Amino acid sequence: MKPFQMRCIECGKPHDMDRPAYACSSCGNLLEVRMDLKSAKQRLSKSGFRKRPLSVWRYRELIPVGKDAHIFSIHEGGTPLIRCPRIADQLGLKSLWVKFDGANPTGSFKDRGMTVGITKAKELGMSTVTCASTGNTSASLAAYASIAGMKCVVLIPEGKVALGKLSQAMMHGATVVSVKGNFDQALDMVMSSSGKLGMYVLNSVNPFRIEGQKTAAYEVCDQLGGVAPKVLYIPVGNGGNSAAYWKGFDEYESLGQCVGRPIIRGIQAEGAAPVADMFRKGSKELVPVKKPDTVATAIRIGNPANWKKTVRAIRDSGGYASTVSDDEILAAQKMMARMEGIFAEPAGAAALAGLVKDVDLGEVDRAAEIVCVSTGHGLKDPDTAIGQCDKPRESEANVKSLEKVLAGGGR
Ligand code: F0G
């Protein structure tokens, strides 16, 4: 077997990795990259990779780009795994960590996928890249397209993208198209126009995006001293990241680099929960949510393109997907900010919200090592943050007035 092979997740048909492709030419299901474990073990053993700094490209030998590929990087990955003793105490848990992927260069986990996706786009000779996005993908793609000198076209749902994310896509020079519709419709437009318009799609339907994102799981294992956590809570939107994490844990254990694999607990917002619905009903097919809605705009997705991948990943891990309300998401966002100093955007607090809910329901092994993935930085969505907090108090420009204000005598 070749070191890497791209094939259909459903019928297994192999596809040429040196051509742009996202779906199987026979059955239309998504594609994935598989590595040959034997040769990967050999490459790893000679690589001395553990001496490299923690980052996406620390795991170069496990990433399917050519040996001589020019790597487009702005130091993505190597994000902190933060111990959260105060929240753990409050919830009665022994060991709780947050993998803070909001600490990536553009403020979300998307950078892990984009450094690989753009490197691959260049290998394929593409000059224009595109995506549909609830915000973070467009911000990240725009940044990586800029360092690769590529044109970038992003489609976003009108009025539903957090301000920080929009400002990034614009600032990095992308052509931003606001679509009068939701994310699902924008993604349909991207998929049906990209071939005709010669654009390479870097949504998470692109298998190389997943290959970058899986490194977060490798990192978590390395950060925990070679042992996987018992349970991993993660938000599910389009379903790419949860599938990528599972792929990472699965590969890393198979390569003998860590012990164990976590149960994956996929968390969706109540108003955009087609994957959680499948688990609740025990159904085999996804029924899209026509009008998804949630304060966590990043995961405001009704028809996740990667549903088969994520459902398979969550099931294989022995986990399941469930929902949290917007109020629960916002409460978890505040909890993280006020107890652990971690500022996450709402979607980046959904995993913790899911854990808090499980604790309330008595569904958590309190002695287990638990990791919550926080996917995006709070500065992405200042409006939602400010909307939840008291207004700043006002003081005249003198100490007397300040004293009065702090004594509660003024606003
Ligand atoms: N958290 C954040 C902050 C996100 O931006 C996203 C997805 C997710 C979680 C869900 O990840 O889609 O792989 O299941 N954002 C995409 C975007 C859809 O366009 O930025 P997923």
Side-chain angles (χ1 to χ4, degrees):
M1 190 184 163
K2 292 180 188 160
F4 297 99
Q5 211 177 58
M6 190 161 74
R7 62 184 207 199
C8 172
I9 59 165
E10 204 62 35
C11 72
K13 182 179 174 179
H15 285 67
D16 185 357
M17 294 221 304
D18 297 323
R19 283 191 198 170
Y22 324 99
C24 178
S25 54
S26 293
C27 69
N29 278 286
L30 291 184
L31 302 175
E32 67 177 354
V33 176
R34 291 292 205 146
M35 72 168 73
D36 173 46
L37 289 172
K38 207 170 144 205
S39 64
K41 270 186 192 166
Q42 285 167 357
R43 285 197 304 282
L44 266 192
S45 68
K46 285 190 242 151
S47 70
F49 78 103
R50 289 197 176 277
K51 292 198 200 94
R52 301 174 194 154
L54 203 69
S55 71
V56 168
W57 295 102
R58 173 186 225 204
Y59 310 100
R60 173 82 175 79
E61 287 74 13
L62 307 181
I63 297 176
V65 293
K67 253 198 189 140
D68 304 321
H70 179 92
I71 290 167
F72 292 97
S73 168
I74 43 175
H75 298 282
E76 48 295 310
T79 55
L81 184 71
I82 304 171
R83 193 186 267 284
C84 296
R86 287 155 289 265
I87 297 180
D89 255 15
Q90 180 161 317
L91 299 179
L93 304 173
K94 188 166 160 243
S95 181
L96 173 64
W97 306 81
V98 164
K99 178 66 170 166
F100 188 39
D101 252 354
N104 272 298
T106 78
S108 85
F109 70 93
K110 307 287 179 178
D111 298 342
R112 294 181 180 277
M114 286 310 169
T115 182
V116 177
I118 285 285
T119 297
K120 186 68 196 176
K122 198 65 155 190
E123 266 194 334
L124 294 172
M126 304 304 294
S127 55
T128 305
V129 287
T130 188
C131 70
S133 180
T134 56
N136 283 322
T137 302
S138 63
S140 182
L141 182 59
Y144 284 84
S146 75
I147 57 170
M150 292 181 191
K151 278 192 204 135
C152 175
V153 178
V154 304
L155 274 64
I156 54 168
E158 186 178 43
K160 291 291 179 185
V161 169
L163 224 63
K165 305 174 188 181
L166 184 60
S167 72
Q168 290 176 289
M170 292 166 74
M171 195 65 195
H172 289 302
T175 302
V176 180
V177 182
S178 177
V179 174
K180 294 185 199 315
N182 61 29
F183 168 84
D184 304 303
Q185 293 166 308
L187 183 56
D188 281 349
M189 286 165 69
V190 161
M191 296 314 291
S192 41
S193 65
S194 62
K196 194 171 162 198
L197 300 177
M199 302 190 291
Y200 189 54
V201 178
L202 276 162
N203 278 99
S204 53
V205 293
N206 184 311
F208 295 95
R209 275 270 312 273
I210 304 296
E211 293 302 296
Q213 287 172 212
K214 72 182 182 183
T215 60
Y218 301 165
E219 284 184 12
V220 167
C221 294
D222 286 351
Q223 288 169 309
L224 290 175
V227 185
K230 267 269 155 53
V231 191
L232 184 106
Y233 284 78
I234 184 164
V236 176
N238 216 16
N241 207 32
S242 35
Y245 259 89
W246 177 246
K247 190 173 195 288
F249 285 120
D250 187 42
E251 287 178 352
Y252 220 43
E253 197 202 24
S254 303
L255 290 166
Q257 296 297 329
C258 76
V259 179
R261 302 162 198 210
I263 288 167
I264 305 285
R265 285 285 290 104
I267 305 297
Q268 295 205 289
E270 271 173 8
V275 172
D277 279 353
M278 286 182 67
F279 279 85
R280 191 169 46 83
K281 293 179 189 150
S283 50
K284 289 209 170 79
E285 288 296 316
L286 181 110
V287 179
V289 172
K290 287 220 171 67
K291 289 191 175 161
D293 203 16
T294 165
V295 68
T297 51
I299 50 173
R300 188 176 170 271
I301 295 174
N303 190 16
N306 291 292
W307 72 267
K308 278 191 184 168
K309 278 190 186 180
T310 189
V311 167
R312 194 170 292 173
I314 294 169
R315 288 210 171 115
D316 285 354
S317 79
Y320 60 100
S322 60
T323 62
V324 288
S325 69
D326 280 1
D327 284 349
E328 287 164 339
I329 289 173
L330 295 179
Q333 187 190 19
K334 256 191 181 167
M335 189 183 209
M336 246 199 284
R338 298 201 170 175
M339 295 178 73
E340 303 292 355
I342 303 168
F343 188 19
E345 65 169 290
L352 178 62
L355 170 64
V356 172
K357 190 169 175 180
D358 277 1
V359 168
D360 287 346
L361 294 170
E363 285 176 6
V364 175
D365 172 1
R366 290 172 187 271
E369 193 102 45
I370 299 172
V371 171
C372 290
V373 180
S374 183
T375 43
H377 202 287
L379 290 172
K380 295 270 194 178
D381 188 357
D383 292 337
T384 304
I386 290 170
Q388 292 180 71
C389 299
D390 293 337
K391 280 191 184 146
R393 298 178 187 193
E394 282 169 17
S395 168
E396 301 304 324
N398 61 60
V399 171
K400 211 165 154 203
S401 174
L402 179 63
E403 277 176 3
K404 210 165 136 196
V405 167
L406 295 183
R411 246 178 23 96

